[in-house]
Amino acid sequence: MRRALVACLALALGSAPVGLFLVMRRMSLVGDAMSHAVLPGAAVGFLIAGLSLPAMSLGGFVAGVLVAGFAGLATRFTEIKEDASFAAFYLLSLAIGVLLVSGSGSNVDLMHLLFGSVLAVDDAALLLVASVASVTLLTLAVIYRPLLLESLDPVFLRAVGGHGSVWHLLFLLLVVLNLVSGFQALGTLMSVGLMMLPAICSRLWAASVGGMLLAAFLIAALAGMGGLLLSYHVELPSGPCIILLAGLFYIVSLFVAPQGGVLPRLLRQRHLES
């Protein structure tokens, strides 16, 4: 239980800032696409070495990078938009991954890859999650300004020779890394939830980027801890419980969050009318 709690906090530290930048760059669905893209690589690692964390993590990382690379090439040399390109390649990757595992493994193996088990996180998985979170925070600290500018005003960054494509590719690597570190605990289908839902909620609770980063981490951490407690006491799968709490927080935020909630907006309108 302690390892699971630390893993959730580490995932919140690494995934929440990455998810926020995905939201600011209008790439929310790309995060979902990349979470599916790591599945065939993880499946290949599983078929070669079984439930080996290094093999599945390396395979998932390579698969995610390949999908990102192919999608980028398709966007650059054709008229297909980036989101459509990612969608096409992630669907292909998901189908290949499911076929690989279901053709050579059991349903239990497939469920482990798709949904994970945060309560079964061992020391090796915890070290991976903590390492990826540390690398993510350090990298974001170094590239924060150009990445933020490239997210908000890419035209200006290109005009001043800011090499926006470099920051874009480096950011995509961080996305893949965090999805790979999260699939062992939450599975390939659930790891993107802890990345995106708190980030989306944070836009409703804070106006500044710093405030949104803090809000995204706090929401992800609360969802992780609350989901673990819920799964322990009610005897439900931990990963879906964590994502469910994050989703419930989003629904509540739609109504009461100060920056975009329905009720605060109605109160402001009434105040202006009076």
Side-chain angles (χ1 to χ4, degrees):
M1 189 68 175
R2 292 180 180 177
R3 282 197 296 262
L5 178 59
V6 175
C8 287
L9 292 177
L11 286 173
L13 275 173
S15 296
V18 172
L20 179 60
F21 276 102
L22 282 172
V23 173
M24 289 193 297
R25 297 163 69 90
R26 296 178 175 86
M27 294 174 62
S28 300
L29 293 179
V30 172
D32 180 60
M34 295 304 297
S35 70
H36 295 77
V38 304
L39 179 59
V44 171
F46 167 76
L47 294 177
I48 294 175
L51 292 174
S52 169
L53 178 62
M56 290 192 297
S57 299
L58 179 60
F61 178 76
V62 172
V65 171
L66 287 176
V67 168
F70 287 140
L73 290 174
T75 302
R76 181 174 181 180
F77 293 106
T78 68
E79 296 183 358
I80 299 177
K81 298 298 183 181
E82 187 176 39
D83 57 344
S85 180
F86 269 101
F89 280 102
Y90 103 74
L91 289 171
L92 179 62
S93 300
L94 179 61
I96 293 174
V98 172
L99 285 176
L100 285 173
V101 178
S102 61
S104 303
S106 65
N107 291 333
V108 175
D109 299 330
L110 178 60
M111 293 293 289
H112 178 80
L113 283 177
L114 293 178
F115 301 109
S117 178
V118 71
L119 293 176
V121 170
D122 55 13
D123 292 337
L126 184 59
L127 179 61
L128 173 65
V129 173
S131 300
V132 170
S134 300
V135 170
T136 299
L137 292 178
L138 290 174
T139 304
L140 287 178
V142 172
I143 68 172
Y144 177 78
R145 289 189 177 182
L147 180 62
L148 182 61
L149 184 58
E150 202 268 337
S151 301
L152 300 177
D153 196 349
V155 176
F156 175 76
L157 186 63
R158 286 196 298 268
V160 298
H163 306 290
S165 60
V166 175
W167 312 120
H168 181 73
L169 291 175
L170 186 56
F171 174 69
L172 287 180
L173 288 178
L174 290 179
V175 174
V176 175
L177 273 176
N178 280 274
L179 290 173
V180 169
S181 70
F183 90 84
Q184 178 71 12
L186 300 177
T188 57
L189 298 184
M190 292 289 163
S191 59
V192 69
L194 198 63
M195 178 180 291
M196 298 310 306
L197 284 171
I200 297 171
C201 291
S202 68
R203 299 292 297 269
L204 299 171
W205 288 92
S208 65
V209 177
M212 286 186 284
L213 287 171
L214 179 60
F217 164 69
L218 291 177
I219 294 170
L222 289 174
M225 292 185 291
L228 286 177
L229 291 174
L230 179 63
S231 66
Y232 178 79
H233 290 289
V234 188
E235 296 184 357
L236 292 173
S238 53
C241 286
I242 292 172
I243 306 307
L244 178 62
L245 281 186
L248 290 176
F249 200 96
Y250 169 67
I251 294 175
V252 173
S253 300
L254 290 176
F255 291 96
V256 302
Q259 294 299 323
V262 175
L263 295 179
R265 179 175 295 182
L266 291 176
L267 290 176
R268 285 195 294 268
Q269 290 179 351
R270 289 185 178 181
H271 178 72
L272 292 175
E273 291 174 357
S274 60

